[in-house]
Amino acid sequence: MIEEKFDAIVVGAGMSGNAAAYTLASRGLKVLQLERGEYAGSKNVQGAIMYASMLEKIIPDFREDAPLERHLVEQRFWMMDDTSHTGMHYRSDDFNEERPNRYTIIRAQFDKWFSRKVKQAGATVLCETTVTELIRNTEGRVIGVKVDRAGGAIFADVVVLAEGVNGLLGTRAGFRETPKAESVALAVKEMHFLPEEVIAQRFGLSGNEGCVIEAAGTFSQGMTGLAFLYTNRESISIGVGCLVSDYARTMESPYALLEQFKNHPSVRPLLKDTEVKEYAAHLIPEGGYKAIPQLYGDGWVVVGDAAQLNNAVHREGSNLAMTSGRIAAEAIFQVKSRRDPMTAENLRLYKTMLDESFVIKDLKKHKDMPALLHTNSQNFFMTYPQLMSAAAQNFVRVDGTPKIEKEKATLSSIVKARSRFGMVSDAVRLAFAWR
Amino acid sequence: MSDAPTPKPAAQAAGRAGMKKELPEHFKAYRHVWVAVELERGQVHPVSFELLGEGRKLADKLGVDLAGVVMGPPGEETNQAIREAFAHGADLAYLVEDPILRDYRNEPYTKALTDLVNAYKPEILLLGATTLGRDLAGSVATTLKTGLTADCTELAVDADKSLAATRPTFGGSLLCTIYTLNYRPQMATVRPRVMAMPERVERPIGRVIAHPLDMREEDIVTKVLNFIPDGQSNKVNLAYADIVVAGGMGLGSAENFQLIRNLAATIGADFGCSRPVVQKGWMPAERQIGQTGKTIRPKLYIAAGISGAIQHRVGVEGADLIVAINTDANAPIFDFAHVGIVTDAVRFLPALTDAFARRLSPHNHDKLAG
Amino acid sequence: MHIIVCIKQVPDSAQIRVHPVTNTIMRQGVPTIINPYDLFSLEEALRLRDQHGGEVTVITMGPPMAEDALRKALTFGADRGVLLTDRYFAGSDTLATSFALASAIEKIGQLYGRPDIVFAGKQTIDGDTAQVGPGIAKRLDLLQLTYVAKVSAADPGKSEITVERRAEGGTQILKTRLPCLITMLEGSNEMRRGTMPDALRAARAEIVTWSAADAGIEDLTKCGLRGSPTVVKHVFAPSARQDKATMVGEAGDLPRDLADKLLDDVFTRQPAILIAMSALSSL
Ligand SMILES: Cc1cc2nc3c(=O)[nH]c(=O)nc-3n(C[C@H](O)[C@H](O)[C@H](O)COP(=O)(O)OP(=O)(O)OC[C@H]3O[C@@H](n4cnc5c(N)ncnc54)[C@H](O)[C@@H]3O)c2cc1C
Ligand SMILES: Cc1cc2nc3c(=O)[nH]c(=O)nc-3n(C[C@H](O)[C@H](O)[C@H](O)COP(=O)(O)OP(=O)(O)OC[C@H]3O[C@@H](n4cnc5c(N)ncnc54)[C@H](O)[C@@H]3O)c2cc1C
Ligand SMILES: Nc1ncnc2c1ncn2[C@@H]1O[C@H](COP(=O)(O)O)[C@@H](O)[C@H]1O
């Protein structure tokens, strides 16, 4: 047994855990962080977008040494049918600013860097150590954790659960339910390697500029799903994600969808001659506001994906994770500074502070979105992309048909595919959910 | 060593890498190619013959002699080793004969070989990358303070007569060519089965230069208390088998390896596996084929349910004919196999065993001929 | 007993990529691990220490980040880590590496007690030469026991050790004197899982970090590139075979038909195989 007691134990060294551990340690608390992976980031899906302003709040000068891949100057949204895509394309030189707003990162490296910062801030970080159980006293208050090593019971005033989307510890302890199949997406992802020059040329980038493509359409076979492609310095991250319940319903495999997407004529040229190195599959919480569980209790708080804090609509996760981690740490610090015990009552401060932040406000705003996209997935991900494509093609193709007839044809094809009423109602509901 | 009188920072020294200096005077006398003939318990390791074959080519290219170096106890077995050295291409032999050399031990063997080198000065010294060769080569090279390139896959002589030793690096993902430019001898080890076996031509024993060991048993600290030969039953001679059948993780379970053993028994093959199979405990370690297992060079290699990772590939590339069975048409093994079948190995192997049995059956000689 | 274990931090070669254009190793994102062979030696060292008492010191020569490998070794239960790091060591081959390590081991001996046993790995997965261990033994004038499958008996009091050593065609039972250098055979033991107290100690341990000078090395010409008689002239990717496998059979084929097609193909290509097979076969 270990006699030593910590002020806080942080379970997990992902974005949220690192943010929490860093914030706690740099405020002088005695912190132990436990990570089951071989190193921080080893279990995390690679290649992602990182939002600078949330990290700035934690490590203001992170740009000096964080492993950042490219800053984003361009975003493309594609609606795809089997042979075409209709797109929106936004690019601005304004993003070539001194302190760019969004970067692509490779999580394995980024998390390692973050973890180094956590250690430098004074936390004790143990990897390859899985927390197996929360230790509670007779009143049910969490007072420590057990790990999968001999002699592994260790105590602290508060445990920060930053264990990611699976959140086994919290569910096992009865703090929340296992996420439902319709509120988690399963994403699969590959890293494709390419020389830097080729990436620059293929996507029209110079220097450290980066580009993102996000796509929805028929490749997901009518399931609620999105595909994405991010440019890193010497690689491209590409993946698709669909709701777990949809996979179960359609018996589709995520890898098959990814293959479909990769073989789409609009995507294939972007991947030419690449060397695929890494595959990964990971869950994304997509239940939104309605799926957020209890966030605190006697001796514990939960942050990041484990608390379902993920904005599926905007494809944001790591920023919510970082922010919730930081806010939880600040709340704990305040309670600690007042020399108050880490009771549920005192830790409610975390929820109060989080409610005031963009995290909860954004999630609340889109609270109806996940359900809508889910129940109408056939329309949003199959019918509309096809219609959009047909309309665009009809518009672009010059074949001697009078323009007036073209317009009529487009309209009637739309009406045939989806009743006018259905379209209007989808549009209205989408607008409401977005509002 | 005082070849660089003013200490330079390492970064600058890097510029030296490609430079060939005038060979120091005391190394100029070093000539001829030597191959250590590995004798253990009366058996010459076949890698020695493969090395003699390769050494012959180097010696011819350089216009020098090829010598076999035999170290062993007095007696017929050592004599036989000398005879074999000549039969496999040596022009002459060096011999250190002493009862102390009955079993391999590092101390006396290091002394024997180091003394020979100092006395007769070869420019190239080759050893097998076996347990004996690797144990000995490191000690000898360190004593002589010369360069040693281990586990080479290719040996050549370049335009200015230096030994260009090529070996895999980073787990076989890359190859590199290494030189020992300014020191002699240039030492290299080569793994069994990497070089082709030369033809054996019976010849009379030629010139043999004997050198004393000059050591007493009392001087040697390490004692061999016992030698337990590998039992005949589990003796694995995979590296030298003519036909090899191997299974990988694709077979799915330990039980399914019976299919591999059945096929092997039917066609007179030896059998092996990929590394994860050993890690699973489905096969013993000595059956592992690949970078960290055995290198094989059979006439026929049949790989079932093996993906063909680079570490596996480097161990089997020398096979004359590689047949791969894999459910995944994109498995990397099809990049270097000669014949491929996309099918479930578990279902296919019994049919294959059966088909071989039919062809090989003595009642089927008509088919055999056709 | 004082036991020193040499470990090396290596890139996990399963995850190495070669840049398709420049043919250089792309280390980006490639995780590093303790050379797997070194773990068998480390575990044996820990076992001997647990039996006989004493300390295990692990040493590595490498870049500053090799500290991670030492810390991990401490997690397993080693007592002390020494990192040998200096730009003068860059580009060392086996001879220069064994010189630097041998010098540092001598220094460790002076500071923390003469070693009874020095362990090295059988080989590394990046250098893969199996020469550094023997090199260290020679330089320190230690008796050398390579490819050890089992340490059958060790008696630090009498300075004796008996081991089973893998030889070609059999196992040697060898008895020798301490101090000696041992390299363990893979599979000879299984690395333990460090305890929580060890893991906690490791996470906070001070790693002794030495430059060449700290290790008592005066003659820098024996280090790094300058101390290396071998010179790597060029590095290149293995040439890919142009022709891929000929695929035999069609989708609907029954296993039996497929097998016959395969045999036809094989025996047409290499009739000699059938002859070899007939000679070897049990039928
Ligand atoms: C394919 C994909 C793409 C994404 N793209 C983006 C993007 O572009 N931008 C964005 O902002 N977000 C993105 N996200 C979401 C983002 O990755 C997550 O929201 C974020 O990583 C959540 O951080 P976290 O710290 O809560 O969880 P994680 O990063 O999952 O970390 C949890 C950690 O806890 C450890 N752990 C778990 N259980 C235990 C235990 N019992 N004991 C010890 N350790 C434990 C795990 O090993 C892990 O390291 C993406 C997600 C996926 C799957
Ligand atoms: C330092 C180092 C050294 C290594 N040394 C070696 C070595 O010496 N030897 C070695 O082999 N490996 C070695 N490896 C491991 C190597 O990288 C691979 O992991 C290993 O070769 C893969 O083994 P596998 O092909 O059996 O398994 P997998 O990679 O899992 O492949 C299984 C294959 O079976 C196929 N399959 C699945 N089901 C079936 C079926 N029913 N019928 C037919 N096919 C099926 C799959 O499509 C797949 O291609 C080493 C790795 C490292 C890091
Ligand atoms: N840089 C190094 N630091 C510490 N030990 C090393 C180093 N290089 C090699 N070794 C040791 O020598 C063994 C054999 O290495 P090698 O000769 O490179 O195959 C390794 O398993 C290590 O124990």
Side-chain angles (χ1 to χ4, degrees):
Chain A
M1 219 204 67
I2 295 159
E3 298 295 329
E4 196 177 346
K5 193 176 146 206
F6 289 83
D7 292 330
I9 290 175
V10 178
V11 182
M15 286 286 193
S16 62
N18 282 338
Y22 181 90
T23 309
L24 289 165
S26 51
R27 290 195 180 20
L29 270 68
K30 189 169 163 190
V31 179
L32 175 65
Q33 188 183 32
L34 301 166
E35 163 62 45
R36 86 192 137 130
E38 208 183 330
Y39 51 90
S42 63
K43 294 259 166 150
N44 290 328
V45 166
Q46 306 217 327
I49 300 177
M50 197 276 296
Y51 305 86
S53 54
M54 290 76 187
L55 183 55
E56 264 170 1
K57 288 217 168 71
I58 302 163
I59 305 179
D61 55 357
F62 75 89
R63 289 185 182 83
E64 278 171 20
D65 55 356
L68 305 168
E69 293 286 308
R70 293 171 180 272
H71 66 272
L72 297 174
V73 298
E74 179 176 324
Q75 176 104 24
R76 306 179 193 170
F77 302 97
W78 287 358
M79 279 277 230
M80 308 172 92
D81 70 3
D82 292 346
T83 53
S84 337
H85 76 262
T86 320
M88 189 188 110
H89 192 148
Y90 182 70
R91 181 184 177 113
S92 173
D93 195 44
D94 294 349
F95 290 127
N96 279 316
E97 56 210 327
E98 201 179 314
R99 300 160 79 79
N101 175 255
R102 298 190 304 161
Y103 293 90
T104 52
I105 56 168
I106 291 180
R107 281 290 299 274
Q109 289 163 37
F110 183 86
D111 287 13
K112 243 190 206 168
W113 165 86
F114 207 163
S115 182
R116 213 164 47 237
K117 292 284 170 190
V118 171
K119 287 177 203 162
Q120 283 164 8
T124 301
V125 182
L126 287 194
C127 294
E128 291 184 286
T129 306
T130 305
V131 176
T132 51
E133 205 183 310
L134 298 174
I135 305 175
R136 302 213 234 180
N137 68 9
T138 45
E139 288 117 56
R141 166 127 159 231
V142 173
I143 53 166
V145 300
K146 274 193 191 150
V147 303
D148 63 339
R149 290 181 182 275
I154 191 150
F155 299 94
D157 291 336
V158 63
V159 174
V160 179
L161 294 167
E163 46 175 336
V165 57
N166 287 325
L168 276 180
L169 282 177
T171 36
R172 231 183 271 148
F175 299 159
R176 61 188 115 97
E177 286 168 16
T178 316
K180 294 194 180 59
E182 58 271 15
S183 54
V184 279
L186 175 62
V188 292
K189 176 164 186 169
E190 291 178 357
M191 293 273 277
H192 287 243
F193 284 84
L194 272 179
E196 208 172 328
E197 321 78 67
V198 180
I199 294 184
Q201 192 204 350
R202 219 166 260 188
F203 292 87
L205 305 167
S206 54
N208 285 335
E209 289 175 351
C211 159
V212 173
I213 302 175
E214 288 182 330
T218 55
F219 62 83
S220 71
Q221 316 282 347
M223 296 152 55
T224 309
L226 278 181
F228 55 87
L229 184 156
Y230 307 146
T231 52
N232 304 313
R233 201 180 293 271
E234 290 202 312
S235 59
I236 291 173
S237 307
I238 185 165
V240 300
C242 285
L243 287 181
V244 171
S245 54
D246 277 353
Y247 292 123
R249 182 166 54 77
T250 58
M251 306 295 280
E252 279 290 337
S253 106
Y255 291 100
L257 301 190
L258 181 55
E259 280 308 308
Q260 286 247 4
F261 180 62
K262 278 163 51 188
N263 282 318
H264 190 282
S266 299
V267 179
R268 205 185 314 123
L270 299 175
L271 300 177
K272 189 169 171 288
D273 293 335
T274 55
E275 193 195 346
V276 189
K277 181 57 195 184
E278 286 150 2
Y279 300 88
H282 202 272
L283 296 173
I284 310 180
E286 304 224 327
Y289 183 73
K290 292 179 177 168
I292 299 174
Q294 175 68 23
L295 291 173
Y296 60 92
D298 275 331
W300 63 274
V301 292
V302 58
V303 297
D305 276 6
Q308 297 269 325
L309 301 173
N310 202 302
N311 187 340
V313 178
H314 283 281
R315 319 290 306 143
E316 294 173 19
S318 61
N319 49 340
L320 283 71
M322 277 192 272
T323 305
S324 58
R326 172 179 61 80
I327 290 179
E330 282 168 358
I332 289 168
F333 175 70
Q334 284 194 29
V335 175
K336 178 92 190 168
S337 309
R338 294 197 299 258
R339 294 171 191 276
D340 283 341
M342 296 289 164
T343 55
E345 198 180 329
N346 290 325
L347 288 170
R348 177 183 298 141
L349 180 61
Y350 161 48
K351 171 134 195 332
T352 313
M353 289 164 72
L354 199 66
D355 282 342
E356 283 308 305
S357 74
F358 80 94
V359 173
I360 299 297
K361 287 183 176 162
D362 281 1
L363 289 174
K364 221 177 201 163
K365 175 163 181 281
H366 298 309
K367 66 181 188 309
D368 295 322
M369 197 73 167
L372 172 65
L373 290 179
H374 185 215
T375 43
N376 287 11
S377 63
Q378 185 66 27
N379 295 328
F380 284 113
F381 297 93
M382 200 82 193
T383 315
Y384 295 159
Q386 280 167 343
L387 291 175
M388 192 98 121
S389 165
Q393 183 165 128
N394 200 14
F395 179 74
V396 173
R397 198 186 278 277
V398 176
D399 55 5
T401 318
K403 299 282 184 260
I404 181 100
E405 279 173 36
K406 281 201 171 204
E407 278 168 26
K408 267 192 202 145
T410 301
L411 197 62
S412 82
S413 74
I414 292 177
V415 174
K416 221 186 289 160
R418 182 93 179 94
S419 76
R420 224 173 273 226
F421 176 74
M423 281 259 286
V424 172
S425 89
D426 279 353
V428 169
R429 277 186 290 167
L430 191 63
F432 267 96
W434 194 273
R435 191 179 42 150
Chain B
M1 266 180 278
S2 57
D3 55 331
T6 46
K8 284 178 276 173
Q12 249 176 331
R16 238 191 43 160
M19 241 168 60
K20 170 147 185 168
K21 290 198 288 195
E22 174 79 348
L23 202 59
E25 206 50 42
H26 58 286
F27 284 139
K28 286 195 175 150
Y30 282 67
R31 254 167 81 79
H32 306 303
V33 178
W34 288 13
V35 169
V37 176
E38 183 177 309
L39 187 62
E40 184 141 31
R41 293 253 148 185
Q43 291 280 324
V44 178
H45 197 293
V47 71
S48 310
F49 306 143
E50 294 159 13
L51 284 177
L52 283 164
E54 200 59 24
R56 183 72 265 164
K57 290 183 216 158
L58 300 176
D60 290 347
K61 191 99 193 284
L62 290 164
V64 299
D65 286 341
L66 171 68
V69 178
V70 178
M71 296 168 280
E76 181 42 38
E77 285 164 348
T78 302
N79 256 340
Q80 183 60 27
I82 295 171
R83 195 170 306 120
E84 289 301 323
F86 281 98
H88 287 90
D91 298 311
L92 75 162
Y94 290 94
L95 172 66
V96 182
E97 210 175 24
D98 195 297
I100 290 176
L101 300 174
R102 179 163 307 282
D103 278 292
Y104 173 75
R105 278 176 296 173
N106 181 269
E107 299 154 86
Y109 270 72
T110 301
K111 179 169 190 315
L113 191 53
T114 316
D115 286 355
L116 275 180
V117 168
N118 284 329
Y120 302 99
K121 307 187 190 316
E123 59 195 295
I124 293 178
L125 172 55
L126 307 178
L127 295 95
T130 58
T131 54
L132 188 160
R134 288 177 140 195
D135 188 276
L136 181 58
S139 302
V140 170
T142 312
T143 313
L144 296 171
K145 307 267 185 299
T146 190
L148 164 63
T149 309
D151 279 26
C152 302
T153 50
E154 205 184 314
L155 298 173
V157 171
D158 77 354
D160 52 6
K161 301 204 159 186
S162 304
L163 178 68
T166 298
R167 66 182 305 262
T169 178
F170 286 107
S173 328
L174 285 179
L175 296 170
C176 59
T177 304
I178 296 179
Y179 290 79
T180 299
L181 292 179
N182 305 313
Y183 298 86
R184 289 297 179 267
Q186 307 162 87
M187 290 180 63
T189 63
V190 179
R191 290 220 304 185
R193 294 308 260 162
V194 168
M195 302 299 179
M197 177 69 77
E199 205 185 329
R200 182 182 190 285
V201 182
E202 187 64 53
R203 288 191 303 160
I205 289 183
R207 190 154 64 104
V208 177
I209 299 169
H211 196 79
L213 176 63
D214 223 5
M215 236 182 167
R216 292 169 309 160
E217 182 60 45
E218 305 87 85
D219 301 334
I220 303 170
V221 181
T222 305
K223 304 291 176 199
V224 180
L225 303 186
N226 199 355
F227 185 94
I228 306 156
D230 292 333
Q232 207 54 38
S233 54
N234 61 12
K235 177 162 175 167
V236 180
N237 212 350
L238 199 51
Y240 286 89
D242 271 341
I243 306 171
V244 175
V245 183
M249 291 310 287
L251 293 190
S253 72
E255 294 71 55
N256 284 341
F257 276 80
Q258 192 53 44
L259 304 176
I260 295 287
R261 284 188 282 264
N262 290 349
L263 175 57
T266 305
I267 62 177
D270 210 329
F271 57 94
C273 62
S274 63
R275 182 163 92 155
V277 172
V278 171
Q279 286 166 334
K280 280 261 179 190
W282 297 350
M283 282 249 190
E286 63 264 27
R287 298 237 171 239
Q288 182 188 321
I289 298 171
Q291 188 204 343
T292 47
K294 298 267 187 323
T295 303
I296 58 171
R297 227 184 151 82
K299 291 192 170 70
L300 172 64
Y301 176 53
I302 302 177
I306 293 180
S307 58
I310 185 78
Q311 293 89 359
H312 188 79
R313 175 179 180 161
V314 295
V316 303
E317 265 176 330
D320 291 341
L321 185 65
I322 301 175
V323 175
I325 305 160
N326 198 305
T327 40
D328 175 6
N330 294 318
I333 195 153
F334 293 127
D335 293 344
F336 60 94
H338 302 91
V339 184
I341 296 199
V342 178
T343 190
D344 176 356
V346 178
R347 285 184 55 217
F348 181 64
L349 282 171
L352 184 62
T353 307
D354 195 49
F356 271 121
R358 276 185 276 118
R359 301 255 177 139
L360 290 170
S361 147
H363 309 297
N364 239 344
H365 273 293
D366 45 334
K367 259 206 178 160
L368 208 157
Chain C
M1 244 181 156
H2 186 199
I3 305 176
I4 298 179
V5 185
C6 302
I7 65 172
K8 186 177 181 191
Q9 189 183 47
V10 295
D12 187 345
S13 74
Q15 307 202 31
I16 284 213
R17 292 181 319 275
V18 179
H19 195 292
V21 179
T22 57
N23 265 343
T24 48
I25 293 283
M26 294 166 69
R27 284 170 188 273
Q28 194 197 42
V30 177
T32 54
I33 52 175
I34 296 181
N35 174 38
Y37 294 105
D38 298 349
L39 295 179
F40 301 108
S41 288
L42 177 56
E43 173 60 26
E44 202 60 34
L46 295 173
R47 284 182 190 198
L48 287 169
R49 177 205 59 188
D50 293 348
Q51 269 169 31
H52 301 283
E55 282 189 329
V56 171
T57 301
V58 279
I59 176 170
T60 193
M61 176 180 105
M65 71 164 197
E67 184 191 315
D68 294 347
L70 293 172
R71 215 171 275 288
K72 184 134 180 200
L74 297 189
T75 306
F76 292 128
D79 299 280
R80 177 186 303 108
V82 177
L83 171 64
L84 200 55
T85 187
D86 199 312
R87 65 197 175 96
Y88 287 107
F89 297 139
S92 296
D93 73 356
T94 53
L95 197 73
T97 303
S98 64
F99 170 74
L101 287 171
S103 308
I105 289 170
E106 259 183 284
K107 182 84 184 190
I108 291 173
Q110 288 160 18
L111 291 177
Y112 307 112
R114 297 243 138 252
D116 300 282
I117 303 176
V118 176
F119 276 98
K122 187 188 96 174
Q123 68 198 72
T124 52
I125 60 169
D126 61 343
D128 192 18
T129 74
Q131 301 305 344
V132 170
I136 294 171
K138 191 90 259 164
R139 290 182 181 275
L140 293 175
D141 208 12
L142 300 174
L143 294 152
Q144 166 180 328
L145 301 167
T146 54
Y147 301 97
V148 169
K150 187 174 169 197
V151 175
S152 340
D155 188 338
K158 283 208 253 159
S159 279
E160 275 176 5
I161 187 162
T162 308
V163 303
E164 292 179 13
R165 172 179 185 272
R166 182 76 226 166
E168 295 294 326
T171 303
Q172 289 183 322
I173 314 293
L174 295 177
K175 182 170 178 177
T176 198
R177 214 170 48 208
L178 301 177
C180 69
L181 179 133
I182 298 178
T183 74
M184 295 299 294
L185 206 60
E186 64 274 20
S188 49
N189 56 39
E190 201 175 323
M191 178 47 80
R192 64 192 60 197
R193 178 145 176 77
T195 64
M196 188 61 183
D198 278 335
L200 208 50
R201 179 178 54 81
R204 300 154 157 182
E206 188 84 27
I207 300 289
V208 181
T209 304
W210 285 350
S211 64
D214 297 335
I217 297 173
E218 279 158 21
D219 187 355
L220 292 172
T221 65
K222 290 187 180 163
C223 295
L225 222 41
R226 281 189 290 165
S228 301
T230 59
V231 168
V232 178
K233 270 272 192 79
H234 40 262
V235 178
F236 53 101
S239 57
R241 245 207 24 234
Q242 285 309 310
D243 46 330
K244 302 206 164 180
T246 313
M247 300 313 253
V248 172
E250 275 130 53
D253 282 348
L254 291 172
R256 184 192 162 106
D257 300 333
L258 208 50
D260 277 320
K261 284 186 187 174
L262 175 64
L263 263 51
D264 289 342
D265 189 297
V266 166
F267 292 143
T268 319
R269 282 167 189 264
Q270 305 260 342
I273 288 177
L274 187 55
I275 299 161
M277 229 174 240
S278 313
L280 292 163
S281 152
S282 52
L283 294 173

